[in-house]
DNA sequence: CGCGAGCTTGACGTTGTTCAACTAGAGTGG
DNA sequence: CCACTCTAGTTGAACAACGTCAAGCTCGCG
């Protein structure tokens, strides 16, 4: 079975994994082992599709490391990025309540994903209230993040949205003022819901005003305060 | 205590209430009684604020009947409506994981709201896995609704957003092709994230094309198909 | 050396907001 | 019962914000 092939990579059991999601702290050793027995770990290369909207929801996912986008596809129009996830994020959680996967995921860089059998996950959740409560917390956090994103995309102008994304990348993803921006202009356009040309123009504007330094892929936030201000004003 | 004053209205205990949220079906009689003992039921008149963003989160809310909006306030800019809720909706669920209320709520029409002590709610959730799992389901449904809304607001043009809202009102809220539109032009503008003037123009356009009938507050969907098409195309 | 993808730039068109003027009904007070 | 005001709604014209299009640039790679 695929299970066997993939299990070859699973040197570390969930029991001893240091990187597991906080909710798993609430599980007994038996429950953890049970999860571990119904879990595979898969490596995705940059740009590969991790899961596809509309397919049967058979796993709960965990990004053990890497960077990826969760996005919503509809018609032939452009996609909407719902969330970017980095190391340590659970995703596909709506699948718990829905047989069909609600969004697609694609890796921005090489990533390792743990996939846990959804029935096993549900089973544990239905028998361990503390675990289920932790799951509620995780979903709630995602909900709030989603609302923030909705606010930003609908109420802010181009520069506000760009400032928001740059700060978000710096604070939540790369955790540094300076970072190598892996994302293409197209990726940023998708994230900020603007055209590629506008991305260029806005970034150039930020550069001209010394809000950022930008050389090739290397980006450095020069004035966090001013960017925040732009973000607030719109 | 306020409790006593409000309890005067609570003729029906949760135990015998026919309108309670589905998640409460998973509770034992004792748990239901426990909830009931820490619950108040409050009537809000049209336009009254039910809860205010930023205040301490002391209750989980349930809209026993009525219509209300959940909205996000920020700066002095216009608000963003996160969700409209009608009879039978739980809200303020992110409060489970957050001490501060994340959004405000205001009634569109006279409404009855059950407020359950948040510590009691959490307590039950931490001890009844089936209940907690139901809560997960409810939150997940809200998440998906939120993503749909985000997609609509960010990817669709004015007419697409208006068509979407009209269909949503007809299908999910009033459950009828024809209905008395309680919402003002300003309310609709907020819902569709457009200016009041644009609301007028788009509605007039729909009327001219015989997609809807509109006399004062009375609105009737004439061509569900064409509205859906507008909604799809954008 | 030449090709192509990703990026940049400027000109132009579209979409939607803003502003100001106007209309229609719904109280309100004399 | 009649002005008076106030708010909600409508309409048109000017304007701003962005996207689209077309052209040119750059850099890595065969």
């Amino acid at each position: 079975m695929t299970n066997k092939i993939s299990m070859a990579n699973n040197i570390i059991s969930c029991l001893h994994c240091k990187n597991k999601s906080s909710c798993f702290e609430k599980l007994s050793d038996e429950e953890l082992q049970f999860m571990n027995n119904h879990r595979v770990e898969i490596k995705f290369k940059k740009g590969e599709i991790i899961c596809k909207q509309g397919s049967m929801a058979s796993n709960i996912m965990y990004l053990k490391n890497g960077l990826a986008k969760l996005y919503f596809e509809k018609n032939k129009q452009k996609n909407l990025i719902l969330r970017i996830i980095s190391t340590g994020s659970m995703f596909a959680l709506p699948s718990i309540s829905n047989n069909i996967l609600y969004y697609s995921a694609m890796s921005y860089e090489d990533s390792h994903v743990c996939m846990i059998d959804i029935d096993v996950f549900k089973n544990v959740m239905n028998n361990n209230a503390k675990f289920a409560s932790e799951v509620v917390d995780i979903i709630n956090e995602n909900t709030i993040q989603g609302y923030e994103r909705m606010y930003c995309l609908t109420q802010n102008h181009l520069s506000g949205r760009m400032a928001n994304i740059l700060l978000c990348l710096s604070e939540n993803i790369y955790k540094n003022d300076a970072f190598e921006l892996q994302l293409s202009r197209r990726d940023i356009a998708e994230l900020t819901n603007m055209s590629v040309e506008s991305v260029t123009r806005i970034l150039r504007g930020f550069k001209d005003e010394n809000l950022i330094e930008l050389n090739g892929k290397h980006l450095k936030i020069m004035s966090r305060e001013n960017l925040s201000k732009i973000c607030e004003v719109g």
Side-chain angles (χ1 to χ4, degrees), chain A:
Chain A
M1 320 289 266
T2 16
N3 226 357
K4 269 194 184 169
I5 298 168
S6 303
M7 287 298 278
N9 296 322
N10 295 347
I11 303 158
I12 302 171
S13 147
C14 296
L15 273 160
H16 308 108
C17 175
K18 301 288 181 198
N19 302 326
K20 58 179 173 278
S21 174
S22 63
C23 60
F24 292 110
E25 305 292 345
K26 303 291 181 184
L27 297 184
S28 68
D29 284 359
E30 291 76 31
E31 287 167 325
L32 259 180
Q33 190 59 53
F34 183 38
M35 287 269 194
N36 190 59
N37 291 344
H38 294 86
R39 159 187 154 266
V40 294
E41 189 176 326
I42 299 181
K43 179 179 174 177
F44 289 91
K45 295 197 192 112
K46 177 175 178 166
E48 284 186 337
I49 292 178
I50 298 172
C51 60
K52 181 77 179 171
Q53 174 184 334
S55 58
M56 299 296 288
S58 45
N59 300 290
I60 294 298
M61 317 267 204
Y62 177 71
L63 192 64
K64 199 170 177 186
N65 64 59
L67 189 63
K69 64 176 172 182
L70 309 181
Y71 61 105
F72 191 54
E73 310 182 55
K74 212 166 175 176
N75 311 330
K76 284 158 195 170
Q77 297 171 269
K78 62 184 167 180
N79 302 332
L80 170 68
I81 295 187
L82 302 171
R83 192 151 68 94
I84 7 181
I85 53 174
S86 60
T87 301
S89 296
M90 307 264 307
F91 60 107
L93 286 174
S95 299
I96 296 170
S97 316
N98 203 334
N99 296 324
I100 302 297
L101 207 55
Y102 189 72
Y103 45 66
S104 297
M106 180 185 284
S107 61
Y108 276 134
E109 51 186 54
D110 292 3
S111 303
H112 286 262
V113 176
C114 293
M115 299 184 168
I116 302 165
D117 184 290
I118 196 163
D119 293 322
V120 169
F121 194 94
K122 277 193 212 177
N123 184 308
V124 173
M125 224 178 67
N126 268 297
N127 289 291
N128 183 333
K130 302 261 189 307
F131 176 69
S133 294
E134 283 291 323
V135 172
V136 166
D137 286 347
I138 292 173
I139 301 179
N140 274 335
E141 198 177 319
N142 294 343
T143 299
I144 289 184
Q145 253 192 49
Y147 286 154
E148 290 281 354
R149 181 160 169 74
M150 184 151 101
Y151 185 89
C152 177
L153 290 184
T154 57
Q155 310 301 101
N156 284 355
H157 286 176
L158 296 188
S159 51
R161 305 209 296 266
M162 182 63 80
N164 181 280
I165 289 293
L166 292 183
L167 289 173
C168 171
L169 286 171
S170 160
E171 287 165 16
N172 303 327
I173 309 292
Y174 296 109
K175 310 196 175 183
N176 201 322
D177 273 0
F179 50 91
E180 298 299 316
L181 189 56
Q182 302 295 343
L183 311 178
S184 69
R185 293 291 185 268
R186 173 163 300 283
D187 290 330
I188 300 175
E190 229 181 359
L191 266 174
T192 49
N193 197 37
M194 64 179 77
S195 66
V196 177
E197 292 91 334
S198 291
V199 170
T200 297
R201 280 184 262 261
I202 299 288
L203 282 178
R204 200 199 139 84
F206 282 2
K207 200 176 165 185
D208 288 348
E209 296 171 50
N210 289 317
L211 300 172
I212 59 171
E213 266 180 10
L214 183 58
N215 290 307
K217 289 284 177 199
H218 185 77
L219 194 147
K220 185 176 179 186
I221 308 261
M222 300 304 285
S223 172
R224 190 168 294 278
E225 295 154 32
N226 286 337
L227 280 180
S228 296
K229 223 171 270 175
I230 291 172
C231 203
E232 295 288 311
V233 176

